[in-house]
Amino acid sequence: AQKITQTQPGMFVQEKEAVTLDCTYDTSDQSYGLFWYKQPSSGEMIFLIYQGSYDEQNATEGRYSLNFQKARKSANLVISASQLGDSAMYFCAMREGGLMFSGGYNKLIFGAGTRLAVHP
Amino acid sequence: GAGVSQSPSNKVTEKGKDVELRCDPISGHTALYWYRQSLGQGLEFLIYFQGNSAPDKSGLPSDRFSAERTGGSVSTLTIQRTQQEDSAVYLCASSLTGEAGELFFGEGSRLTVL
């Protein structure tokens, strides 16, 4: 079953406007973590923001914020005041469960990504 | 350097040959991941090492794929009898342990199978 769903293969936004990139997830665990990564055309993966399932406040990092709606199992990324340099692929990811019986943590799985194009 | 290092950055091979891809994680990171990314696609999980725990191999697509991590540090991903569909960028990432541990990625190894 698909754990992470990003329904928007591509998005366009005008420079200086805000944009929301959608992400829904599927888990039966109460404890999990949600991540967003950016991948520019250069190919590097850049960590943007993290939200823990028990965090009561939505995470924010500069122009990035995560709109976390636990009951709806959604973790949308909001980019405010878009810049041309924001044009990239954006991936939502999830790590299920807290500490496992084995003493370790679960793996991080990624969605299919959304390609964002910022127009001047 | 302080980041995740992968080699080779580019590898062109003939169908049927074996290849080895190397990953040197950030010092002190106990978790190490391999992902595969085909052109324009998302990240496909392959394998995950964490400390002394048994690796999670659930993403390996076939028995032609294997990986090991020596001494809890450097990892090698081996693909035997390569096929054209193995062509992709292979990304390695490492992280500190913990639920919130963000992944730090290498620049990837681009594999082309002719």
Side-chain angles (χ1 to χ4, degrees):
Chain A
Q2 189 76 359
K3 294 284 189 178
I4 300 286
T5 303
Q6 295 182 253
T7 57
Q8 306 153 314
M11 288 283 287
F12 296 90
V13 67
Q14 205 72 25
E15 194 178 8
K16 300 180 185 177
E17 292 186 349
V19 63
T20 298
L21 306 182
D22 294 343
C23 173
T24 58
Y25 57 91
D26 180 24
T27 181
S28 57
D29 287 330
Q30 295 301 309
S31 177
Y32 50 90
L34 297 157
F35 301 74
W36 277 92
Y37 282 81
K38 172 184 178 181
Q39 188 179 43
S41 57
S42 58
E44 62 188 308
M45 291 286 288
I46 302 167
F47 166 74
L48 296 178
I49 197 166
Y50 166 80
Q51 178 87 42
S53 60
Y54 290 115
D55 294 340
E56 294 186 355
Q57 301 289 329
N58 284 345
T60 60
E61 288 288 346
R63 295 185 298 110
Y64 304 108
S65 61
L66 200 153
N67 184 1
F68 181 45
Q69 299 188 37
K70 195 169 183 177
R72 297 178 61 183
K73 294 186 176 179
S74 75
N76 298 341
L77 177 71
V78 180
I79 305 174
S80 62
S82 298
Q83 302 173 356
L84 296 178
D86 294 334
S87 295
M89 281 288 286
Y90 288 82
F91 293 99
C92 179
M94 177 176 69
R95 177 182 283 120
E96 286 184 292
L99 193 63
M100 297 190 297
F101 180 76
S102 63
Y105 288 86
N106 222 325
K107 59 184 177 285
L108 199 64
I109 54 173
F110 286 79
T114 295
R115 183 172 299 281
L116 175 67
V118 180
H119 291 173
Chain B
V4 176
S5 178
Q6 290 189 245
S7 61
S9 55
N10 268 291
K11 176 71 176 179
V12 180
T13 190
E14 293 180 347
K15 179 181 173 181
K17 300 283 189 184
D18 297 351
V19 296
E20 286 189 350
L21 307 176
R22 176 190 168 103
C23 174
D24 199 344
I26 293 172
S27 178
H29 281 191
T30 55
L32 187 147
Y33 296 75
W34 284 98
Y35 293 90
R36 178 168 71 174
Q37 187 175 31
S38 300
L39 189 62
Q41 302 298 309
L43 276 71
E44 176 189 5
F45 168 77
L46 297 178
I47 188 168
Y48 165 44
F49 297 90
Q50 184 179 219
N52 296 321
S53 302
D56 180 346
K57 304 179 181 181
S58 60
L60 295 178
S62 77
D63 58 7
R64 296 187 295 105
F65 288 74
S66 63
E68 62 177 21
R69 188 178 185 190
T70 54
S73 180
V74 172
S75 176
T76 302
L77 176 69
T78 301
I79 309 172
Q80 295 178 311
R81 304 181 302 282
T82 52
Q83 303 294 313
Q84 288 183 333
E85 60 262 30
D86 299 335
S87 296
V89 175
Y90 289 81
L91 290 165
C92 176
S94 70
S95 76
L96 294 169
T97 192
E99 192 169 276
E102 69 183 83
L103 268 60
F104 293 81
F105 283 82
E107 294 186 352
S109 291
R110 181 177 297 278
L111 174 66
T112 303
V113 182
L114 302 176

